Amino acid sequence: DPLNNLSLYTGDFLAGITVKNCFEFDCWLTETREHYRILFINNAQIKIAQLYEQTSFEAMETLIQQILLVDEFNETAFWFLMKYYKTLGRYDKIINEYYHLQKILEDELGIEPTEEIERLFQEALSAVRKKEVGQSGTVGDPEDVFFYRTYEYNQIQEVLAQFETGGTPCSILLKGESGAGKSTLKKKIKAAHLDQFTFLEVQCSLI
């Protein structure tokens, strides 16, 4: 009963085991490891769907994290995690997870998230914007809304820290939907480093 024994999978089959100069063993071990990894992932995806229907969200979230440890690109896991955050009204977490997934998919595989995930992301953006309008009474500038882009914020902080200590300089490109918080992210970075750096701004059209 794989669905009720997922905890038996604790990582790669025979992890750390090698046989010197034995090509046949290496091939068998690689195939067997992949077989059990895929078996775990497939059954875990079925299980998280069941847990979602049963509203066993704590167990579901734990299992999702286990899936992502062995398959960081698993969009099914991300989709259910984002659906869970939607039930909590945590649209900030949906947006943060989306940006994290979008980055690793683009960097490692050169692809974009699925339409289902994109739809959840757009719903979250819309919900946050409506909340901001409801609180202020005006639409205002959507770029002033900061959507918890902690992943990008931490990445930029690391790059600047390396530069400050004499590391290799590099360019930083911010991308995202209109109103997704790019300008506010930039403002937060500047505010955190005004004593360390001089910032110069130009319009992209002038470069």
Side-chain angles (χ1 to χ4, degrees):
D1 186 5
L3 291 180
N4 293 314
N5 290 282
L6 292 169
S7 60
L8 295 177
Y9 184 83
T10 58
D12 285 343
F13 176 69
L14 295 181
I17 301 297
T18 59
V19 176
K20 189 176 181 180
N21 300 325
C22 187
F23 178 74
E24 292 81 4
F25 176 82
D26 288 341
C27 288
W28 170 82
L29 184 57
T30 298
E31 291 177 1
T32 305
R33 281 176 177 170
E34 187 64 10
H35 167 74
Y36 284 120
R37 191 181 78 90
I38 293 175
L39 187 65
F40 167 75
I41 291 172
N42 290 341
N43 282 283
Q45 289 179 164
I46 296 172
K47 187 67 175 181
I48 61 175
Q50 292 179 352
L51 292 171
Y52 181 84
E53 292 299 323
Q54 297 165 3
T55 66
S56 299
F57 295 132
E58 185 174 342
M60 185 194 74
E61 187 175 15
T62 298
L63 184 54
I64 285 173
Q65 299 305 329
Q66 292 174 358
I67 294 174
L68 294 177
L69 284 176
V70 298
D71 181 12
E72 64 176 330
F73 309 113
N74 194 292
E75 293 184 85
T76 298
F78 274 101
W79 184 63
F80 274 104
L81 185 61
M82 292 166 73
K83 286 181 68 176
Y84 167 51
Y85 289 149
K86 182 179 178 180
T87 66
L88 299 177
R90 293 301 306 271
Y91 298 109
D92 56 313
K93 283 184 171 289
I94 293 175
I95 294 167
N96 198 45
E97 290 295 340
Y98 174 85
Y99 283 126
H100 172 60
L101 175 63
Q102 183 188 48
K103 178 171 176 56
I104 62 175
L105 288 179
E106 182 178 346
D107 289 351
E108 302 297 331
L109 304 177
I111 62 175
E112 292 291 326
T114 63
E115 290 183 7
E116 291 83 1
I117 289 177
E118 180 69 29
R119 195 175 301 118
L120 272 174
F121 168 66
Q122 293 297 337
E123 289 175 4
L125 281 181
S126 178
V128 174
R129 287 169 181 155
K130 288 179 181 177
K131 181 179 179 181
E132 292 292 325
V133 171
Q135 291 176 346
S136 64
T138 59
V139 175
D141 184 357
E143 289 285 9
D144 287 337
V145 182
F146 183 61
F147 290 131
Y148 301 87
R149 300 183 67 159
T150 54
Y151 183 79
E152 290 91 339
Y153 182 85
N154 291 335
Q155 290 290 100
I156 294 172
Q157 292 282 52
E158 289 180 12
V159 170
L160 292 176
Q162 291 174 6
F163 174 73
E164 187 178 18
T165 55
T168 303
C170 65
S171 299
I172 300 171
L173 175 64
L174 289 179
K175 299 191 299 181
E177 297 277 342
S178 175
K182 298 185 297 298
S183 293
T184 304
L185 175 60
K186 179 191 68 175
K187 291 175 185 177
K188 287 180 176 292
I189 291 293
K190 287 177 60 178
H193 294 279
L194 285 176
D195 295 335
Q196 299 147 287
F197 302 109
T198 298
F199 292 89
L200 303 176
E201 295 191 39
V202 296
Q203 295 295 324
C204 292
S205 59
L206 300 178
I207 297 179

